[in-house]
């Protein structure tokens, strides 16, 4: 196996991708290079597991991604090399469904676990934009459409049953999905060294109500193979500007619950919301505007997902489902509890085991308060998720509980 380092990228491309012009200067950047390396960059979530290089000659720019048998950040974590092939295949699949939201792939090398894809660095990572207070007005609508399309058209509602079963078997992905099964739902991540908030960790670990709900949703995650899902759709894996959006990092793809991806992305918005209550803004008016934007985005995200899913159903569902009367409406009415549950649960590890960029921007008392608010909100959403009839009700409750918490601090 050819282990790619920065100095080997150009010889590799000369052999495997000769259409890349090397006649002039070529710039190579290692995505996620830590401080102190020859070309230090801001640490990037994309470099956590894989080895990723951006190669540009001024006219062409490609991403070279290699999957190895161990994690980039922790060589004690053993990973299947074939995950790289599965990511390439799911990128191709989703590009066929939603090319406007999926990077194009150029080349794959099975033997060396390498593929080349479109460089989306002309867009900005959504997490960094939100952490800087930038409001992308089309974000929620576009993410909702991406998830609705990529789940519906990879589900048995659209695909012939035998084909869907073969697709599900092809993307079983048991090694990668087990990472999420343990980290998201059990808060077990041996590759993370940050211990989080120890007091709140004890509260969460001793809370039987949280534990039962986490196991219930974990069981759904493990057993409800309703459609191919992204599996890791958070704001670091979405790049956007005011008009365009691209989704990356699809190596966790498997057949899972229809609502998981929307809930998981909503968890990123909830984390932003909790930290925005305490991080500096130019004015309190600017803070209120940003918080209102995040709550509106939660609403728009959910409604975009449901409305686009319903639209695709009406246009392209199999005849057996076209004749099913109100089944689509019945199905989508059941989305809300799962979306809220899958939004709440991923926030708990951000309190107990991992310091995500949203919370890392806060220090001292501000971080503690953001963690506390996150726990209060997510516990409330998790335990009461069956009680709300509409997403509007849930978002209104988020605002009300936030105000109660803030009043208690005064």
């Amino acid at each position: 196996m050819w282990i790619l380092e920065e100095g080997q990228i150009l010889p590799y491309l000369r052999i495997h991708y000769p259409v890349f012009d090397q006649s002039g200067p070529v710039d190579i950047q290692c995505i996620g290079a830590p401080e102190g390396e020859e070309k230090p960059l801001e640490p990037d979530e994309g470099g956590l597991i894989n080895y990723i290089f951006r190669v540009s000659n001024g006219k062409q720019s490609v991403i070279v991604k290699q999957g190895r048998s161990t994690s980039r950040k922790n060589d004690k974590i053993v990973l299947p090399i074939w995950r790289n092939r599965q990511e390439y295949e799911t990128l191709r699949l989703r590009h066929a469904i939603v090319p406007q939201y999926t990077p194009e792939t150029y080349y794959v090398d099975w033997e060396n676990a390498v593929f080349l894809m479109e460089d989306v660095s002309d867009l900005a990572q959504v997490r960094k934009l939100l952490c800087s207070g930038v409001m992308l007005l089309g974000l929620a609508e576009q993410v909702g459409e991406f998830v609705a399309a990529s789940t519906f058209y990879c589900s048995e509602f659209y695909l012939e049953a035998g084909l869907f079963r073969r697709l599900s078997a092809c993307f079983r992905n048991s090694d990668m999905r087990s990472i999420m099964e343990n980290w998201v739902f059990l808060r077990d991540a041996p590759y993370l060294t940050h211990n989080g908030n120890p007091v709140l960790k004890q509260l969460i670990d001793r809370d039987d109500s949280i534990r039962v709900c986490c196991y219930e949703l974990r069981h759904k995650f493990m057993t409800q193979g309703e459609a191919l899902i992204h599996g890791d759709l958070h704001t670091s894996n979405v790049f956007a500007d005011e008009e365009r959006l691209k989704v990356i990092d699809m190596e966790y793809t498997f057949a899972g619950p229809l609502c998981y991806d929307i809930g998981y992305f909503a968890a990123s918005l909830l984390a932003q919301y909790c930290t925005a209550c305490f991080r500096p803004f130019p004015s309190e008016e600017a803070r209120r505007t940003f918080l209102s934007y995040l709550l509106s985005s939660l609403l728009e995200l959910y409604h975009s997902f449901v409305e686009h899913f319903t639209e695709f159903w009406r246009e392209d569902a199999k005849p057996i489902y076209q004749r099913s009367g109100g089944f689509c409406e019945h199905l989508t009415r059941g989305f809300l509890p799962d979306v809220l549950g899958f939004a709440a649960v991923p926030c708990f590890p951000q309190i107990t085991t991992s310091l995500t960029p949203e919370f890392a921007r806060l220090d001292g008392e501000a971080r503690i308060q953001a963690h506390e608010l996150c726990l209060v909100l997510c516990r409330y959403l998790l335990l009461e998720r069956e009680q709300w009839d509409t997403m509007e009700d849930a978002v209104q409750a988020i605002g009300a509980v936030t105000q109660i918490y803030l009043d208690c601090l005064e």
Side-chain angles (χ1 to χ4, degrees):
M1 180 176 176
W2 192 333
I3 301 299
L4 291 182
E5 302 294 347
E6 185 174 327
Q8 299 167 318
I9 294 294
L10 295 185
Y12 178 88
L13 291 178
R14 273 194 290 271
I15 296 171
H16 292 270
Y17 195 63
V19 298
F20 186 84
D21 184 5
Q22 299 187 32
S23 61
V26 177
D27 181 61
I28 302 173
Q29 294 179 332
C30 178
I31 305 297
E35 296 295 333
E37 289 192 2
E38 183 177 350
K39 292 186 178 180
L41 296 173
E42 183 176 352
D44 188 305
E45 292 287 338
L48 178 63
I49 290 179
N50 299 293
Y51 291 75
I52 307 172
F53 304 89
R54 178 180 295 115
V55 189
S56 174
N57 60 17
K59 297 179 180 179
Q60 300 166 282
S61 187
V62 299
I63 294 296
V64 180
K65 186 169 185 177
Q66 182 174 47
R68 303 183 192 171
S69 59
T70 57
S71 166
R72 182 183 187 280
K73 293 292 182 69
N74 187 337
D75 59 10
K76 295 181 181 179
I77 302 172
V78 179
L79 299 164
I81 293 179
W82 50 255
R83 72 186 187 276
N84 185 269
R85 176 173 181 168
Q86 293 225 316
E87 181 174 10
Y88 170 79
E89 294 290 3
T90 193
L91 279 165
R92 290 182 63 210
L93 177 62
R94 288 194 168 93
H95 191 268
I97 298 169
V98 277
Q100 70 273 35
Y101 298 135
T102 311
E104 186 177 358
T105 51
Y106 302 134
Y107 172 80
V108 64
D109 174 3
W110 300 142
E111 181 180 357
N112 295 301
V114 174
F115 69 83
L116 275 62
M117 60 179 274
E118 175 186 355
D119 179 14
V120 299
S121 62
D122 58 319
L123 305 174
Q125 187 190 75
V126 168
R127 175 171 259 158
K128 292 178 181 177
L129 291 175
L130 294 177
C131 284
S132 300
V134 176
M135 295 178 284
L136 294 170
L137 300 183
L139 173 66
E141 163 65 25
Q142 291 175 315
V143 172
E145 182 181 14
F146 167 80
V147 176
S150 59
T151 52
F152 175 81
Y153 289 105
C154 292
S155 76
E156 188 267 332
F157 300 123
Y158 172 74
L159 297 172
E160 184 271 326
L163 177 58
F164 173 68
R165 293 188 186 104
R166 291 194 297 274
L167 190 68
S168 299
C170 179
F171 288 96
R172 186 173 59 224
N173 212 356
S174 56
D175 294 271
M176 298 304 293
R177 64 193 280 182
S178 66
I179 295 174
M180 291 301 183
E181 289 165 2
N182 294 330
W183 179 71
V184 173
F185 300 97
L186 304 182
R187 301 176 298 284
D188 179 15
Y191 53 88
L192 295 173
T193 58
H194 176 71
N195 294 322
N197 186 309
V199 176
L200 298 185
K201 182 180 186 301
Q202 288 190 47
L203 290 176
I204 293 171
D205 290 346
R206 295 176 182 179
D207 192 317
D208 289 339
S209 298
I210 290 178
R211 184 181 303 110
V212 168
C213 290
C214 286
Y215 273 96
E216 177 188 356
L217 289 165
R218 183 175 185 266
H219 180 68
K220 287 188 175 185
F221 183 80
M222 296 177 69
T223 61
Q224 289 189 356
E226 298 173 308
L228 282 194
I229 63 173
H230 182 288
D232 194 26
L233 187 61
H234 53 76
T235 48
S236 282
N237 287 335
V238 180
F239 285 69
D241 60 19
E242 289 294 342
E243 298 180 354
R244 298 168 53 232
L245 180 143
K246 296 286 184 178
V247 178
I248 64 166
D249 201 11
M250 301 189 186
E251 64 189 335
Y252 290 92
T253 292
F254 76 102
L258 283 169
C259 295
Y260 181 77
D261 282 343
I262 280 295
Y264 197 72
F265 190 81
S268 286
L269 298 182
L270 281 172
Q272 285 286 345
Y273 177 83
C274 292
T275 56
C277 287
F278 302 100
R279 69 174 187 246
F281 278 84
S283 67
E284 285 305 308
E285 180 62 28
R287 184 193 309 279
R288 287 191 293 269
T289 299
F290 189 69
L291 292 173
S292 177
Y293 159 77
L294 291 172
L295 293 181
S296 297
S297 294
L298 285 170
L299 271 178
E300 189 175 3
L301 177 72
Y302 177 78
H303 287 304
S304 174
F305 171 62
V306 173
E307 289 166 8
H308 282 294
F309 187 92
T310 302
E311 174 190 346
F312 300 142
W313 179 292
R314 290 172 180 167
E315 293 177 353
D316 293 321
K318 292 186 298 189
I320 188 174
Y321 290 117
Q322 295 283 3
R323 300 191 299 267
S324 65
F327 181 53
C328 180
E329 290 75 12
H330 171 77
L331 181 72
T332 55
R333 278 199 301 270
F335 283 176
L336 184 59
D338 280 356
V339 170
L340 294 175
F342 288 133
V345 169
C347 290
F348 296 130
Q350 296 187 51
I351 300 170
T352 64
T353 59
S354 62
L355 188 61
T356 55
E358 293 89 351
F359 293 100
R361 297 171 76 93
L362 301 176
D363 294 314
E365 192 67 20
R367 184 186 296 172
I368 292 172
Q369 291 170 345
H371 274 151
E372 288 177 349
L373 176 60
C374 190
L375 171 55
V376 170
L377 284 178
C378 291
R379 185 182 189 277
Y380 185 54
L381 290 176
L382 185 62
L383 271 56
E384 301 296 326
R385 66 189 189 279
E386 302 280 356
Q387 306 304 315
W388 291 299
D389 295 324
T390 68
M391 189 63 169
E392 283 79 2
D393 294 336
V395 168
Q396 184 177 6
I398 291 172
V401 171
T402 300
Q403 191 57 55
I404 292 171
Y405 176 82
L406 294 176
D407 289 344
C408 291
L409 295 179
E410 295 181 356

